[in-house]
Every structure is written in C-alpha cells, then in structure tokens.
Amino acid sequence: MRHLSITVLLVSVLAGCTSSATSPPGSSSATPARTSALPRVYERGGTIFVVADDGSPVALTRGLLPTPSPDGTMIAFLQDPADPHYHGGGDPFVLQVWLIHPDDGSGLRKLGQQHECCIGVRPHLNWSADGSSIVLKAIREQTWDVGTGESVSMPSPTG
C-alpha cells in the first residue's frame, strides 16, 4: 500500500508540474497559451509549420531551424541544398538563411549563405534584439542586415 501511495503522490506532483509549466498562472488548461505576438513554429521532417489560432499545423515551406523574429513578423530558417559550384573536395553543401512571413507564407526570400559549411556542424540562428539583423553561427559566424540582405561585420566585444 505504501508503494501505491508514493506512486500516486509522484504522479500527482509530476502532473501538477506539467500543467503549471504549460499553462498561464490561474489557468486550468493544459494547452499552452499564446502569451506574446511570437508565432508558434516548428520543423518536422524538413518542413516548417506554424500553428494556426485554432491549433492546427499549417505547412509554410521546406527548411530547418525556424527562428521567429523578436516582433513575430518574420521567421528565419535554414536550407542546405547541394552547392551548384561544387568541384570535389570539402563539403558539397551550402547553408542558406531564408526569411518568410508566418501568417501566410508570403515574402519568401534568401538572405545569405555560407559555402562548405554543413557536414558535422550544429548551426544556430539568432536575431538581434531589434530584429534588424540575423547571426548564423556555423563553420564561421556571419551577420546579415535583414533590410538590405548585405553581410555586415559586427563590432568586437572589446571595442
């Protein structure tokens, strides 16, 4: 009987943690609430999805590592097609940074790319706090201005 009581207590505690972690304070719902303007976005099987207001998934495009902009108006993501200029030796892929609007999938445009960068790399995409630039950390760190698409150099942390 004691094992049953401990098991029930443990399940109750875990269920309580799960519920409070996915619900806003004071809510009894176990579904995550949308507390900001950021779109709920994810990737599965190489396809990027956004979660509609009714909770249904909407496929936007093919890609990896979808990352919403700070204001939620754009999603940056990666594609890694074969490099058409590959002539043997090194990595035959290009890591491309793309942008798309989460509401309707419009505004698809390539922001920039890195050649010979994909095999064995765990890339990261980061938006600047104001959403004006995106940093890709792969083989090397590269920053693009979102408005112009130009590659920009960032000041060093030491000045």
Side-chain angles (χ1 to χ4, degrees):
M1 179 69 170
R2 182 169 185 191
H3 290 285
L4 179 61
S5 298
I6 292 172
T7 302
V8 169
L9 177 62
L10 182 59
V11 169
S12 297
V13 168
L14 290 175
C17 290
T18 303
S19 176
S20 64
T22 59
S23 302
S27 172
S28 60
S29 171
T31 24
R34 197 168 185 179
T35 57
S36 70
L38 292 180
R40 295 181 297 175
V41 61
Y42 65 96
E43 177 266 326
R44 179 170 293 148
T47 298
I48 295 175
F49 294 89
V50 66
V51 179
D53 290 338
D54 66 0
S56 63
V58 177
L60 291 179
T61 190
R62 302 278 301 157
L64 307 165
L65 200 63
T67 308
S69 63
D71 66 0
T73 59
M74 297 292 289
I75 296 171
F77 64 94
L78 300 176
Q79 289 186 343
D80 63 345
D83 186 344
H85 305 291
Y86 176 72
H87 297 293
D91 190 339
F93 295 99
V94 175
L95 194 58
Q96 300 176 336
V97 178
W98 288 78
L99 299 174
I100 194 168
H101 293 289
D103 296 332
D104 57 5
S106 67
L108 181 66
R109 68 180 172 111
K110 184 172 77 171
L111 191 60
Q113 63 187 19
Q114 286 185 9
H115 293 273
E116 300 181 5
C117 64
C118 305
I119 294 177
V121 172
R122 298 186 80 191
H124 299 278
L125 277 177
N126 296 306
W127 286 87
S128 62
D130 65 0
S132 66
S133 62
I134 295 174
V135 177
L136 169 63
K137 294 179 182 177
I139 289 293
R140 61 194 167 280
E141 187 171 300
Q142 192 168 354
T143 303
W144 287 277
D145 182 286
V146 172
T148 66
E150 296 292 319
S151 184
V152 295
S153 59
M154 298 301 288
S156 73
T158 58

